């Protein structure tokens, strides 16, 4: 009964956690997408005006254009290519879910952030409740993985192995498996999808799962590459379970 109750609690926690992220993603998308579209239109008009009058611009006007361009890029708007690129949103559901995941996990790359007053206020409350929920989620998943660890240890003990050796081998097994699943294999995936080198993929994976999150490498941000739908959702899920693996290592 206790085992069934524990499994039910875990299932409810995991379901509630992902529902929280899905709702957060939907709210961020609703609050930010319209403002982003207006910002992209303004950037397109700025670019068009520049192309028409660039031979007649004064130094002051040129400097103002550069300031506006830098501000647009910092806000995730890249006025390059044709107008069809402006239809692609930084706040579609996949990107919004990815952003919600980086908020509750405290990675905070800084390349995508809410710009409307409503989005910023919502982000405060979303993080306020989401970060503790994330800690509980990681603790519970880490606990589940540690049960697997105990079962492995019990199996080795029954085979006549000493406890110190069992502890060492168990830790080594989960360390090696985690490095393979959460660092090595994803880096190959990033190398193919993003066009990074393998070392850049390893660097991104480590900086992300350690929650340092410099923001110098972020998935799905290259305008000249085509990404499949929900690419960033899959990356967000990889991040969450990668953090759970790190929590397990601390527990061990």
């Amino acid at each position: 009964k206790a085992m069934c109750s524990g499994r039910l609690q875990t299932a409810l926690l995991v379901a509630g956690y992902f529902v929280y992220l899905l709702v957060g993603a939907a709210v961020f998308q609703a609050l930010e997408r319209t403002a982003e579209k207006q910002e992209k239109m303004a950037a397109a008009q700025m670019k068009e005006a520049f192309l028409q009058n660039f031979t007649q611009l004064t130094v002051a006007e040129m400097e103002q254009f550069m300031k506006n361009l830098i501000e647009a890029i910092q806000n995730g708007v890249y006025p390059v290519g044709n107008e069809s690129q402006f239809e692609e949103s930084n706040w579609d559901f996949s990107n919004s879910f990815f952003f919600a995941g980086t908020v509750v996990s405290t990675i905070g790359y800084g390349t995508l952030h809410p710009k409307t007053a409503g989005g910023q206020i919502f982000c405060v409350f979303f993080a306020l409740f989401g970060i503790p929920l994330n800690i509980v989620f990681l603790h519970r998943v880490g606990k589940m993985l540690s049960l697997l660890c105990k079962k492995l240890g019990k199996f080795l003990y029954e085979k006549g192995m000493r406890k110190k050796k069992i502890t060492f081998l168990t830790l080594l097994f989960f360390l090696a498996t985690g490095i393979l699943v959460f660092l090595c294999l994803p880096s190959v995936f990033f190398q193919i999808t993003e066009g990074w080198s393998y070392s850049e993929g390893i660097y991104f994976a480590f900086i992300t799962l350690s929650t340092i999150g410099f923001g110098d490498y972020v998935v799905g941000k290259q305008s000249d590459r085509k990404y499949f739908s929900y690419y960033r959702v899959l990356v967000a899920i990889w991040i969450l379970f990668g953090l759970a693996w790190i929590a397990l290592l601390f527990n061990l």
Side-chain angles (χ1 to χ4, degrees):
K1 284 184 178 179
M3 188 177 289
C4 288
S5 175
R7 286 177 179 174
L8 180 62
Q9 286 177 0
T10 301
L12 289 173
L13 175 64
V14 172
Y17 180 72
F18 279 98
V19 167
Y20 188 81
L21 291 179
L22 290 169
V23 170
V27 173
F28 280 121
Q29 184 181 19
L31 291 171
E32 295 296 323
R33 199 163 189 175
T34 303
E36 183 202 31
K37 191 174 284 187
Q38 292 171 351
E39 196 169 7
K40 285 188 173 184
M41 288 175 62
Q45 291 169 359
M46 177 189 72
K47 176 186 173 182
E48 188 178 343
F50 172 77
L51 292 174
Q52 288 176 355
N53 304 307
F54 73 94
T55 56
Q56 302 168 13
L57 293 179
T58 64
V59 173
E61 289 172 333
M62 189 65 188
E63 286 183 352
Q64 185 60 47
F65 169 78
M66 294 300 292
K67 286 179 183 177
N68 293 339
L69 181 62
I70 290 168
E71 187 179 344
I73 292 170
Q74 286 174 340
N75 290 331
V77 176
Y78 302 92
V80 294
N82 54 37
E83 290 184 6
S84 64
Q85 288 183 300
F86 288 91
E87 297 302 316
E88 297 175 7
S89 176
N90 289 318
W91 290 101
D92 60 16
F93 189 78
S94 181
N95 284 324
S96 299
F97 185 87
F98 181 78
F99 173 74
T102 60
V103 169
V104 298
S105 61
T106 70
I107 294 170
Y109 290 116
T111 53
L112 186 65
H113 52 275
K115 291 172 277 294
T116 64
Q120 290 169 349
I121 295 298
F122 175 73
C123 188
V124 170
F125 287 99
F126 181 75
L128 193 64
F129 295 100
I131 291 171
L133 177 62
N134 182 64
I135 293 169
V136 173
F137 169 78
L138 294 179
H139 176 72
R140 179 59 67 121
V141 175
K143 200 172 181 182
M144 285 174 60
L145 292 172
S146 66
L147 288 175
L148 293 175
C149 181
K150 284 181 181 177
K151 285 182 179 179
L152 177 62
K154 188 178 179 182
F155 172 77
L156 293 173
Y157 185 73
E158 288 172 353
K159 294 293 181 183
M161 199 173 285
R162 288 181 300 173
K163 284 187 176 180
K164 282 187 178 180
K165 195 173 182 181
I166 289 171
T167 304
F168 173 74
L169 288 175
T170 304
L171 180 60
L172 185 64
F173 172 76
F174 278 94
L175 181 63
T177 304
I179 288 172
L180 178 67
V181 172
F182 294 109
L183 290 178
C184 297
L185 292 179
S187 298
V188 175
F189 177 68
F190 296 135
Q191 185 180 16
I192 296 167
T193 310
E194 298 288 343
W196 298 337
S197 66
Y198 187 72
S199 61
E200 287 173 326
I202 287 281
Y203 169 76
F204 166 76
F206 176 79
I207 292 298
T208 294
L209 295 185
S210 61
T211 71
I212 296 170
F214 287 128
D216 49 349
Y217 288 86
V218 182
V219 295
K221 295 300 289 182
Q222 298 184 64
S223 58
D224 60 336
R225 299 187 78 87
K226 285 286 182 183
Y227 301 100
F228 61 87
S229 299
Y230 300 108
Y231 166 55
R232 297 189 100 193
V233 170
L234 289 176
V235 175
I237 292 170
W238 161 73
I239 290 171
L240 298 174
F241 283 97
L243 292 174
W245 165 65
I246 288 175
L248 168 68
L249 289 183
F250 282 122
N251 285 337
L252 291 178

